[in-house]
Amino acid sequence: MTDLQQMHQLGEMGVEFAGMIFYHKSPRFVLKHLNGVQVKRAKLKVYKVGVFVNASYDEIINHVENFGLDMVQLHGDETPKFCEKVSDYISVIKAFRITDDDNIPWKIKDYVEAVDMYMFDTMGAGYGGTGKKFNWNMLKGLNIGKPFFLSGGIEPTDAAAIKEFAKEEVAKDLFALDMNSKFETMPGVKDMELVKKFVGELRR
């Protein structure tokens, strides 16, 4: 998110999390649009999640303090030891970019004690989102054992597919859905009618 008014609207419609990207190569780089004082004073109803890619510990903690972040999402090549250090200070979501031949239990095993939650996203050329889905069937039959976010090209037409996925045993740990590029009019700006409709369909 790059627009405070939209973040207020998300809170009003019952969306629980709003992500802000602190990766300077991202077209959604939040510091081009907002500063910490604005966000901290805004009294938002959403939990504020800061998204970082291979940032230093000091950089992460400074932004946590300046923006009043509630959680951080580490989307780079952060080691379990680094994640654990950050998680001593704030809740950590570790993102894993999934390919079709990945062994997901093996990929996450070293992070079990180091982070609070996982995010499963689609592998792309860089560190940003691809707008494409990975094969959710790869999660079927697994016991993730930790809350996870489902990401990767989720679309406004996916409510029915998500409800089906939610019936799977693995979905007992499904904690949240990551809605991004498919709900945007431009990077960082959401089509709020699409978001509202999708949230309504999921709740029904």
Side-chain angles (χ1 to χ4, degrees):
M1 304 302 297
T2 57
D3 183 295
L4 262 184
Q5 184 181 358
Q6 289 202 335
M7 290 167 77
H8 279 294
Q9 290 173 328
L10 289 178
E12 293 300 325
M13 68 176 71
V15 171
E16 291 168 282
F17 303 96
M20 289 175 281
I21 297 182
F22 291 88
Y23 180 47
H24 69 279
K25 292 183 180 179
S26 170
R28 302 176 184 89
F29 183 44
V30 70
L31 292 175
K32 286 183 179 176
H33 306 275
L34 297 169
N35 62 55
V37 173
Q38 288 173 290
V39 175
K40 217 170 182 178
R41 286 180 178 170
K43 296 182 180 176
L44 296 164
K45 292 184 178 180
V46 287
Y47 292 104
K48 302 184 291 291
V49 184
V51 181
F52 298 90
V53 177
N54 299 330
S56 70
Y57 177 82
D58 288 344
E59 180 185 347
I60 292 170
I61 301 308
N62 283 340
H63 287 314
V64 167
E65 289 299 315
N66 291 340
F67 280 76
L69 299 179
D70 300 294
M71 310 168 81
V72 299
Q73 177 188 321
L74 303 181
H75 214 289
D77 306 305
E78 298 86 5
T79 64
K81 188 174 180 181
F82 181 84
C83 292
E84 192 167 17
K85 184 178 180 183
V86 178
S87 72
D88 284 341
Y89 191 82
I90 189 169
S91 294
V92 170
I93 308 156
K94 179 69 182 94
F96 297 93
R97 293 169 291 147
I98 307 298
T99 64
D100 285 343
D101 55 358
D102 265 331
N103 181 326
I104 293 174
W106 183 85
K107 198 159 191 166
I108 66 179
K109 67 180 175 58
D110 293 336
Y111 292 85
V112 170
E113 303 297 331
V115 302
D116 300 282
M117 302 179 195
Y118 302 135
M119 171 178 279
F120 298 119
D121 200 356
T122 309
M123 177 66 82
Y127 290 104
T130 63
K132 298 176 182 176
K133 288 183 184 66
F134 69 93
N135 181 5
W136 297 350
N137 288 330
M138 293 173 65
L139 293 167
K140 289 182 180 180
L142 300 182
N143 179 23
I144 301 300
K146 197 177 281 288
F148 68 88
F149 284 61
L150 189 62
S151 186
I154 290 174
E155 301 179 53
T157 55
D158 279 338
I162 288 164
K163 287 180 181 181
E164 279 303 307
F165 178 78
K167 296 175 184 176
E168 297 291 331
E169 177 66 17
V170 69
K172 71 182 187 300
D173 294 317
L174 176 59
F175 183 69
L177 302 169
D178 183 65
M179 302 152 56
N180 205 5
S181 60
K182 301 292 187 180
F183 293 85
E184 289 183 329
T185 57
M186 58 186 290
V189 179
K190 298 292 179 287
D191 181 326
M192 300 306 289
E193 284 305 312
L194 275 184
V195 173
K196 187 175 182 179
K197 184 181 178 206
F198 184 70
V199 169
E201 287 175 356
L202 283 177
R203 293 205 167 122
R204 281 198 299 277

